[in-house]
Amino acid sequence: MQPIPDTVTLERAPDGLAVRMIDQTLLPTCEQIIDVTTIPDLCEAIRMLRVRGAPAIGCAAACGVAMAAGRSTAGDLAALQAELRQVIADLAATRPTAVNLFWALERMRGIVETGGDAAALRADLEAEARAIVSDDLDRCHRMGRHGAELIPAGARILTHCNAGALATAGYGTALGVIRAAAEQGKVVRVYADETRPLLQGARLTAWELCRAGIPCTVICDNMSGSLMARGEIDCVVLGADRIAANGDFANKIGTYGVAVLARHHGIPFYVAAPISTVDYALASGAGIPIEQRDPTEVAELGHFARCPVVPAEASIYNPAFDVTPAELVTAIITEKGVARAPFGESLGQWRK
């Protein structure tokens, strides 16, 4: 068992604050830690998936606002506030689907608008960013404890994409549930969908599970139905990037198909996500914005390998996420507890 480097932290470098992260585009073959010191570089890191996963993006954005404030040369409060409002706008424009990004930025915006003086604002933003990261890690551990109670002994679990330590401040949401169940001796094996087109399951989830000493098998995305039909999957546990008030949720493309297959085969389908992922302003999943990504991610095998596999004349459709209706969800695991249908009521009880 080997430790996993922190996904994203706020660090004090010799020349000022930096957002430190593991570059996830290089995994599993290279573990490179990078320090980001400018907002353009942080926006690039989020867009290019150097840091990814809904909670981790929120943590990175919060740390970015604090970093920008600490490095700003603005001499008075008004100038610093104006600069940080633009920073927040730039970070908010990076990726549209994961609501945790906007949740974290609104927390930071609240600090920006409190007034005081420039020095106090810088200190308050740094403290808030560190609190958001620490809070996310705590939420993941609580989620794990709640979710582990749902996992049967001897479980063979299917997961899709990566909702582990790499997608959060640490431990993970879906993989946090799996880790907690494994610590109780319940998990026999985890099947990780490779997750085309960027292979987050093959590259990231399998890497995490191997490091944690949890037996795992990587399968192609089109193999899960066959395993279910053969009785080799006991439950599905995966994460979410945005959950509507009624329980509809967006997650990595391919999730909807897994949910349909699980329902057909009578297999429990669990979603693990913090309450910060619930967008109570959206009545249903129909209002969730779906990010469209660069066609080359599909056209080039593994994208990062730059190996063309699609004719140049062919058009490409590359949505990053799909929406799964609440009727296909067995339960939503949060840090507050386990929500079941009707989700409007069960999730609504935790709305602030």
Side-chain angles (χ1 to χ4, degrees):
M1 188 177 298
Q2 303 177 62
I4 295 172
D6 290 333
T7 305
V8 57
T9 57
L10 185 63
E11 300 292 335
R12 288 193 169 277
D15 62 340
L17 290 173
V19 183
R20 181 168 295 172
M21 63 185 71
I22 183 168
D23 187 342
Q24 297 187 39
T25 65
L26 304 178
L27 291 172
T29 56
C30 177
E31 297 174 28
Q32 181 172 322
I33 305 298
I34 57 176
D35 281 352
V36 178
T37 57
T38 72
I39 291 302
D41 284 348
L42 181 57
C43 289
E44 187 271 350
I46 294 172
R47 288 193 184 98
M48 298 304 295
L49 311 185
R50 301 186 196 284
V51 60
R52 43 142 302 281
I57 292 172
C59 291
C63 290
V65 175
M67 177 268 292
R71 287 180 172 270
S72 172
T73 57
D76 62 81
L77 177 63
L80 180 58
Q81 287 175 314
E83 185 177 325
L84 293 176
R85 291 184 190 110
Q86 185 58 54
V87 163
I88 290 171
D90 291 345
L91 288 166
T94 54
R95 300 193 69 192
T97 302
V99 75
N100 308 67
L101 170 66
F102 307 101
W103 171 85
L105 288 174
E106 284 307 307
R107 279 185 60 167
M108 299 303 282
R109 189 193 305 277
I111 303 295
V112 169
E113 303 299 341
T114 55
D117 60 63
L121 178 56
R122 288 182 172 96
D124 289 346
L125 287 170
E126 180 178 345
E128 185 72 357
R130 295 190 189 281
I132 286 173
V133 174
S134 177
D135 178 58
D136 184 69
L137 181 58
D138 176 65
R139 290 174 189 239
C140 288
H141 280 281
R142 284 188 282 155
M143 221 176 304
R145 290 193 293 271
H146 290 305
E149 297 178 5
L150 303 176
I151 306 301
R156 297 157 299 174
I157 304 171
L158 174 70
T159 192
H160 185 71
C161 196
N162 174 263
L166 291 170
T168 64
Y171 202 67
T173 54
L175 287 196
V177 170
I178 292 170
R179 287 176 197 276
E183 290 162 8
Q184 298 174 12
K186 291 182 173 181
V187 179
V188 169
R189 181 161 299 276
V190 177
Y191 289 94
D193 279 346
E194 62 178 351
T195 321
R196 282 278 293 152
L198 295 182
L199 306 177
Q200 292 97 329
R203 295 189 305 106
L204 307 180
T205 296
W207 179 78
E208 283 198 41
L209 291 170
C210 289
R211 287 210 154 206
I214 299 173
C216 72
T217 298
V218 174
I219 61 173
C220 295
D221 290 354
N222 56 5
M223 295 178 182
S224 57
S226 175
L227 284 174
M228 291 179 185
R230 289 162 53 185
E232 296 186 24
I233 303 295
D234 298 300
C235 61
V236 177
V237 184
L238 39 69
D241 286 79
R242 189 181 302 220
I243 302 172
N246 72 338
D248 295 350
F249 74 101
N251 192 50
K252 185 57 57 184
I253 189 72
T255 297
Y256 174 62
V258 173
V260 171
L261 287 167
R263 172 56 59 91
H264 176 76
H265 291 93
I267 296 170
F269 183 91
Y270 299 121
V271 178
I275 290 299
S276 58
T277 302
V278 181
D279 187 347
Y280 289 103
L282 289 183
S284 74
I288 299 177
I290 300 299
E291 177 184 3
Q292 297 291 326
R293 292 191 58 83
D294 190 333
T296 61
E297 293 179 349
V298 175
E300 299 171 350
L301 183 61
H303 182 49
F304 310 115
R306 297 286 186 261
C307 176
V309 292
V310 176
E313 298 81 6
S315 61
I316 291 172
Y317 176 55
N318 187 24
F321 305 95
D322 56 23
V323 175
T324 298
E327 65 193 51
L328 298 179
V329 178
T330 305
I332 298 175
I333 304 160
T334 79
E335 75 276 20
K336 300 285 189 180
V338 177
R340 295 182 182 272
F343 293 106
E345 296 178 11
S346 57
L347 290 175
Q349 70 180 310
W350 297 316
R351 182 175 187 174
K352 290 185 179 179

